[in-house]
Amino acid sequence: MTALPGHRAGLAAIADPTRVVFVALAVVILAGWGLVALDGGQFLTLENIVGVQQRSAALGIVAVGQTLAILAGSLDLSVAYLISLTSLVAAEIMAGQDAGIVPAVAAVAGVSVLVGLVNGLVITKLRVHAFIATLGVALIIKGVVDHLYDGPAGRVPESFQHLGYDRIGPVPVSAMLWAVVALIAWFLLSRTRYGYRVYAVGGDPEVARLSGVRTDRVVIVTHVLCSLCAGIAGLLLASRLGAGAPTVGTDGGYDLESIAAVVLGGTALAGGRGGVAGTVGGVLLLAVLDSVFNQLEVNSFFKDVVRGVVIVAAVAVYARRTGMLGRRRA
Amino acid sequence: MRRALPILAVLAVLLAAIAIANPFFLEPAGFLAFVRRAAPLVILAAGQYFVIVSGEFDLSVGSLVTVEVVVAARLIDGNEGATWPVLALLIVIGLLVGLVNGVVTTILRVPSFITTLGMMLVLSGAVFLWTGGAPRGALSETFRVFGRETGWAVLVLAVMAVAAALIMRADFGRTLVATGDNERAAALSGVRVARARTLAFVLSGLAAAVAAILLGGFAGVSAQVGQGLEFQAITAVVLGGVVLGGGRGTVIAAMAGAFTLEALFTLLNLYGISGALEFTVQGVIIIAAVAAGALRLPFLTPQRVKGDAHAAS
């Protein structure tokens, strides 16, 4: 490790990066408002605010789950394919019937728990690195989905589509669902023993183990929760599309995008530091950026370039702030 | 070499299985055709190995390959005379992208997973911004010779493989492994950690450029030419027994891993498991192979095997 940078690497130096993301969010909103106003448009319209929430809900829910996995020192690359799979499971079981909703949700939960269990067990019991384990599971799901389906399948009844499209005042139902998922995760992380264990395992698995934490169990539970979040996102997307689709998860790039959102929210990729609040900020930041670009009618490829730069730049800023502590675990 | 033995054994079994199903494979032409098909992935795996053994990831190689091919097609546009300058430019682009990845990762201290993920977005966005959404132009015949002619492809592969092996035998190779094994210990013993890692990324960029030249010749121009190659390369490296997180494994084993992956694809095709289920089989085999590798040394490397690997980044 090279010499310390100019500032002290004491605990005070770790100004919570999760707060930084909200500052960045405010800056982006202001800048977007200014730019759109210059362009002769209106940015803070009801339509736009609802649009941002609509756009971010699915990614937001996945990213909350991804936050848990990353905090525990793991990560999940299988979420995108799991989203596709659960959207298909949901729409096929519902088959346009209201009576199918409950069994469909139950089946999605079952599939998600199963995938999460497999991820967790492969990582902990077979000691496969999370990157490879979840990539392998992703390939397995992809093969099954692509083998069985060529295009959209199943049908979601009208009543279930309320989840995707309705809103109460300025708040879409999907955003509320996201809020509920985020609140549950926040509660788990900050108010329960499980939460403390997640931070302990992510911080240093060996120390956690020696302190009596059953690290394997924590990682498995975390992956089950992460997969459940992906399943919820699958349900939400199915309700939006009115059917299940084999590419809905990968088209949205939910795997890498959710990881980017989590890291943008100040959670350390190495685990052990960060939280759900930052992730919510990260997802909103990406959605607001998207909305600004849409208003300015910016080329979608240019959007990708800016998004890439923003993600790297943000993490570079966090790395400066956290200083040496961030790299000590190597 | 001893650590490369398991993967070489697996490779031998797979090759034998292919030969049984398809005797043409035993003839030089058949075998060399297989080598040519595997060449881009093997080269990418060698590049990815440098990055992984130093404790990092390079997720940008897939989109880098796409960028190189699309850039080549647009600039050459069927003009034979432009071939050599463009080939040189492609190599420079590869080196530059690697340099940026390395500098952002080491100097700005962004975890390489994020650096190269951002680079992936920037590269694919930028190139299609430039070409207006779809690849345009065409490659020249001279350009396509490298990927299309078996002799050339095998020669390029051989040169790259020997160079990679020599790099790992030189001092640089040792410092790279030391960096990935224990960054702090390496730094304290005088290794310039940041420089070693940056060079690893530059080598990975170079490998992507060469792979792109072969793939462009072999498969032609498309917007999807590099899709998913980053994951395939990482998978190949890991199949070769190289540990994510750095410090373990050899480049020969990584390249053997790439051959194994390609042999696996060939075999699945031969036995009629084509299309989608191929992915499922691939997923199961990757997990099984890595699990088998990890179970052998569970007590020597307790934390590294688990989620700790990206801690190094």
Side-chain angles (χ1 to χ4, degrees):
Chain A
M1 199 58 235
T2 45
L4 288 175
H7 59 78
R8 246 172 283 156
L11 279 171
I14 323 173
D16 194 0
T18 54
R19 240 170 274 153
V20 180
V21 73
F22 284 99
V23 176
L25 180 61
V27 171
V28 170
I29 291 176
L30 276 177
W33 178 72
L35 281 172
V36 173
L38 278 179
D39 199 49
Q42 283 228 301
F43 185 57
L44 291 173
T45 58
L46 180 67
E47 187 195 345
N48 239 332
I49 292 171
V50 171
V52 165
Q53 298 177 60
Q54 293 268 28
R55 240 195 309 272
S56 46
L59 177 63
I61 293 168
V62 184
V64 167
Q66 193 73 258
T67 309
L68 297 176
I70 291 180
L71 279 176
S74 183
L75 88 178
D76 191 346
L77 294 174
S78 68
V79 286
Y81 291 108
L82 179 56
I83 288 172
S84 303
L85 176 66
T86 50
S87 81
L88 285 162
V89 167
E92 286 275 42
I93 293 182
M94 285 181 199
Q97 303 299 314
D98 282 349
I101 293 179
V102 173
V105 172
V108 165
V111 169
S112 305
V113 168
L114 180 71
V115 170
L117 268 179
V118 171
N119 278 333
L121 287 172
V122 168
I123 292 168
T124 55
K125 303 301 177 197
L126 297 183
R127 292 168 176 273
V128 176
H129 190 285
F131 187 100
I132 296 295
T134 57
L135 182 63
V137 169
L139 286 172
I140 294 172
I141 300 175
K142 175 186 163 70
V144 171
V145 167
D146 288 0
H147 184 68
L148 295 176
Y149 297 97
D150 294 326
R155 203 160 63 78
V156 169
E158 203 105 331
S159 55
F160 194 69
Q161 296 198 17
H162 292 304
L163 175 65
Y165 288 108
D166 278 14
R167 62 188 166 91
I168 301 170
V171 185
V173 175
S174 54
M176 284 184 213
L177 180 65
W178 175 26
V180 169
V181 170
L183 276 175
I184 293 173
W186 171 82
F187 180 81
L188 281 176
L189 282 174
S190 57
R191 294 284 182 274
T192 65
R193 251 182 261 174
Y194 162 74
Y196 291 118
R197 285 174 186 154
V198 167
Y199 281 99
V201 172
D204 193 324
E206 201 50 28
V207 170
R209 196 179 63 79
L210 293 173
S211 322
V213 176
R214 292 185 189 156
T215 54
D216 284 3
R217 205 179 280 183
V218 173
V219 171
I220 295 169
V221 170
T222 303
H223 271 282
V224 168
L225 291 175
C226 179
S227 293
L228 272 174
C229 286
I232 295 171
L235 281 173
L236 174 58
L237 289 171
S239 90
R240 282 229 182 112
L241 293 172
T247 56
V248 64
T250 39
D251 286 349
Y254 287 106
D255 38 9
L256 295 177
E257 196 110 340
S258 65
I259 294 174
V262 171
V263 175
L264 204 51
T267 296
L269 195 51
R273 273 184 295 126
V276 173
T279 300
V280 171
V283 172
L284 284 176
L285 184 66
L286 288 175
V288 171
L289 265 182
D290 235 28
S291 165
V292 173
F293 290 143
N294 282 347
Q295 288 250 301
L296 298 175
E297 288 171 5
V298 170
N299 183 301
S300 75
F301 299 113
F302 184 68
K303 265 198 278 194
D304 277 349
V305 175
V306 175
R307 211 185 303 172
V309 172
V310 165
I311 292 168
V312 173
V315 178
V317 171
Y318 301 152
R320 286 259 152 265
R321 297 182 71 100
T322 43
M324 188 178 165
L325 277 174
R327 288 185 66 90
R328 197 137 100 200
R329 300 183 54 244
Chain B
M1 206 53 206
R2 211 163 42 107
R3 248 182 282 153
L5 276 182
I7 189 67
L8 289 175
V10 173
L11 180 58
V13 171
L14 283 177
L15 292 180
I18 297 175
I20 291 168
N22 178 13
F24 173 62
F25 192 72
L26 288 174
E27 292 169 33
F31 184 71
L32 286 177
F34 165 76
V35 173
R36 177 190 64 171
R37 205 159 357 106
L41 187 59
V42 175
I43 292 170
L44 278 177
Q48 189 74 243
Y49 165 82
F50 294 119
V51 177
I52 288 183
V53 88
S54 79
E56 307 287 344
F57 285 98
D58 189 350
L59 296 179
S60 67
V61 289
S63 58
L64 180 54
V65 166
T66 308
V67 164
E68 300 267 11
V69 172
V70 171
V71 166
R74 169 124 191 228
L75 289 182
I76 292 177
D77 206 7
N79 176 5
E80 293 291 337
T83 306
W84 291 100
V86 169
L87 279 176
L89 178 72
L90 294 187
I91 301 288
V92 172
I93 293 177
L95 294 174
L96 256 179
V97 168
L99 184 66
V100 173
N101 278 336
V103 167
V104 172
T105 302
T106 56
I107 313 267
L108 297 183
R109 298 213 222 108
V110 176
S112 55
F113 191 95
I114 298 297
T115 309
T116 55
L117 175 63
M119 181 58 87
M120 171 174 159
L121 288 171
V122 170
L123 283 176
S124 56
V127 77
F128 289 115
L129 190 62
W130 182 52
T131 60
R136 283 196 281 165
L139 299 170
S140 63
E141 283 307 307
T142 324
F143 186 100
R144 299 203 63 170
V145 159
F146 294 106
R148 208 184 261 162
E149 301 285 330
T150 306
W152 273 109
V154 173
L155 181 68
V156 171
L157 173 63
V159 170
M160 293 296 283
V162 169
L166 286 180
I167 287 173
M168 287 316 291
R169 303 206 80 178
D171 286 353
F172 171 72
R174 310 240 163 105
T175 57
L176 205 58
V177 176
T179 301
D181 191 26
N182 189 335
E183 182 183 2
R184 200 168 160 72
L188 290 175
S189 23
V191 173
R192 288 184 220 180
V193 170
R195 201 170 66 173
R197 283 213 170 108
T198 305
L199 266 173
F201 278 105
V202 170
L203 287 172
S204 176
L206 173 68
V210 175
I213 292 168
L214 293 186
L215 267 176
F218 180 64
V221 186
S222 86
Q224 281 90 36
V225 61
Q227 213 168 46
L229 279 183
E230 64 279 355
F231 288 123
Q232 279 190 24
I234 294 173
T235 305
V237 171
V238 173
L239 270 183
V242 180
V243 176
L244 289 181
R248 305 262 185 297
T250 67
V251 71
I252 310 250
M255 291 188 284
F259 271 118
T260 308
L261 200 57
E262 200 62 47
L264 185 66
F265 293 146
T266 310
L267 197 64
L268 289 177
N269 262 320
L270 276 177
Y271 282 98
I273 311 175
S274 58
L277 277 182
E278 195 179 297
F279 294 107
T280 300
V281 177
Q282 197 190 334
V284 172
I285 288 178
I286 290 162
I287 291 178
V290 176
L295 287 176
R296 240 181 306 134
L297 306 163
F299 299 106
L300 289 179
T301 52
Q303 316 96 318
R304 302 200 70 89
V305 183
K306 279 197 251 170
D308 200 40
H310 37 273
S313 51

